Every structure is written in structure tokens, then in C-alpha cells.
Amino acid sequence: MATQFGDRIRELRTKQKMLLRHVASQLDVDTSIISKIERGDRPIKKEQIAVLAEILKADKTELETLWLADQLMQLVKDEPTADEALKTVSKKIKKSK
Amino acid sequence: MATQFGDRIRELRTKQKMLLRHVASQLDVDTSIISKIERGDRPIKKEQIAVLAEILKADKTELETLWLADQLMQLVKDEPTADEALKTVSKKIKKSK
DNA sequence: CCTATTTTTGCCAATATTTGTCAAGACAAT
DNA sequence: ATTGTCTTGACAAATATTGGCAAAAATAGG
């Protein structure tokens, strides 16, 4: 299943005409891993996001936000009460600030 | 760390003067597991929520919602962009309905 | 205070999940 | 057909999760 994060990093990579192996070698993993991450087949590890942002000259915060949204989405999809749960969390977050 | 879910089921259990072992035996686990779940030390398995709702004569949906909110909270706490991520997910959810 | 009961805690082994590599295959361009 | 890129599935190693157990700690009732 496609992810916002994966779509975005693929876009960033291809626009710069970088190959999977360029990214892969800098992230120190096999190209297949990057391929899968871009296609949403595998999750990326949180620590890798910052490195990836550097490699792609992208905004770290943007990528982290997309990644977080993907995580949340996976958790709430198919949940009938997703709406309510999201709401209460939002409120709690705001209070703790 | 305390959870909404754990706090709630402890409340439900103690108000009915049930002991950990009553719940534990019906859920077919050691009492220590229930203790930890109530205290937020261990996650409960999703399938166990429905059973637990029966045992405690509680509203299944309420417990599931609390559980989901806990999951979300754990994911977004300490995330600077939690707010924005939550927002985009809410929007996506609404659209897909 | 003593004892009995309940709850909490730390540790362990078993199990499950995640991670990355490798090799083979698909696809595109020429 | 050849070359280079990307995708896929199978696999092993590393990591995380699970529940049980036993001892410690807390609580309740005399």
C-alpha cells in the first residue's frame, strides 16, 4: 500500500535524477530496501529519516510529518471510532503544550 | 506510564469489587499481566478488549476508543508536528467515509 | 504487630516481528 | 540481445513482544 512518505521521497529522488543505489549506499542498505520504502512495502526507521532528508536535500520536518501521518493512518484505518480518538488526542496534545 | 484504557478498566474492576485474579482467569492469563495492563506497563491485545468488556460488563466501543487513543498518544507524544499530522489524518478519514 | 490476601515487580524462555541481504525476475531504452 | 534500473520473494539474523513464575511490596483484618 502506498504511503504519503514513500510517494514524496520518490518524487524528491527522481526529480533530482538520483538512482536508488545512490540513496541506498548513503543510507547503507540494499537498494531493495529503498525501493520498498518508496513503494510503501516497508516502513523506514525513524532515525533514517533525518539522514534521508540530508541525502535528498529535503526538509526534515516535512518528511517527519508525513511519516508520522502515515503511522497514524495505519493505526486508525478500519477503526470505527477513529474520529473520536483522534479528537481526544488532539485536545490532550494541546493541553500539554 | 499510565493509560486512559488502564485507568478505566481498573476503575470498572474495583467498583465491582472484582480481583485481578477474577479477571485474569477469565482472560486466561496470569494476574501479573492484568496488573501491568491496568498500570499501563503492558499493552493489551486488541482481541482481548472485547472479552474484557464482557467480563467487566462495560461498553466495548468505549474501551476500544480509549485503547485507540492510547495508541495514538504514544505515537505523537514528543513529536513536534503531532498537531499537523493529526489534522491531516482526520481530514483523510473524513473523506474516505 | 501478625497473618492472610492481593497486587506489583523483575527476570526468563518462547515466540513473533522486523531488518537487511541476496538472487532472480521485470521493465525500459537502445 | 544487452545494459542498467527497479521490484519481488525467500531467507537468516537481530530485535521486540509475550506470558509465566516467584519473590517482594502493599493492603486488609484481626
Side-chain angles (χ1 to χ4, degrees), chain B residues 50-87:
Chain B
V51 186
L52 191 54
E54 282 235 355
I55 297 170
L56 297 175
K57 299 166 195 59
D59 180 38
K60 181 181 139 200
T61 302
E62 182 210 350
L63 295 188
E64 285 173 343
T65 305
L66 288 175
W67 173 86
L68 183 56
D70 284 340
Q71 311 298 304
L72 294 172
M73 182 60 80
Q74 183 159 355
L75 211 45
V76 302
K77 75 166 185 265
D78 308 329
E79 289 285 349
T81 61
D83 241 44
E84 192 185 339
L86 285 166
K87 221 172 173 177

Side-chain angles (χ1 to χ4, degrees), chain A residues 14-28:
Chain A
T14 54
K15 281 210 173 146
Q16 292 171 85
K17 306 229 190 291
M18 297 179 75
L19 299 177
L20 285 180
R21 77 179 134 83
H22 296 142
V23 177
S25 77
Q26 291 197 70
L27 258 185
D28 197 33

Side-chain angles (χ1 to χ4, degrees), chain B residues 10 13 19-21 32 35-36 39:
Chain B
R10 167 147 297 186
R13 176 177 65 83
L19 299 176
L20 284 179
R21 77 180 137 81
S32 65
S35 168
K36 286 167 186 168
R39 316 189 66 264

Side-chain angles (χ1 to χ4, degrees), chain A residues 71-96:
Chain A
Q71 311 298 304
L72 294 172
M73 182 59 79
Q74 184 159 354
L75 211 45
V76 303
K77 76 163 185 261
D78 308 329
E79 289 284 349
T81 61
D83 241 46
E84 193 184 339
L86 286 164
K87 220 171 172 179
T88 69
V89 172
S90 280
K91 278 184 192 160
K92 264 203 161 185
I93 289 293
K94 272 166 198 156
K95 270 177 121 177
S96 71

Side-chain angles (χ1 to χ4, degrees), chain A residues 7-90:
Chain A
D7 289 350
R8 180 70 178 123
I9 63 174
R10 167 147 297 187
E11 184 183 25
L12 286 164
R13 175 177 66 82
T14 54
K15 281 210 173 146
Q16 292 171 85
K17 306 229 190 291
M18 297 179 75
L19 299 177
L20 285 180
R21 77 179 134 83
H22 296 142
V23 177
S25 77
Q26 291 197 70
L27 258 185
D28 197 33
V29 293
D30 192 78
T31 57
S32 65
I33 298 291
I34 310 297
S35 169
K36 285 167 185 167
I37 291 172
E38 287 186 348
R39 314 187 71 264
D41 267 14
R42 286 276 186 108
I44 191 172
K45 282 202 279 188
K46 216 168 150 230
E47 317 88 72
Q48 296 176 322
I49 298 178
V51 185
L52 190 54
E54 283 235 355
I55 297 171
L56 297 175
K57 299 166 194 61
D59 180 38
K60 181 181 141 201
T61 301
E62 183 210 350
L63 294 188
E64 285 174 342
T65 305
L66 288 176
W67 174 85
L68 183 56
D70 284 340
Q71 311 298 304
L72 294 172
M73 182 59 79
Q74 184 159 354
L75 211 45
V76 303
K77 76 163 185 261
D78 308 329
E79 289 284 349
T81 61
D83 241 46
E84 193 184 339
L86 286 164
K87 220 171 172 179
T88 69
V89 172
S90 280

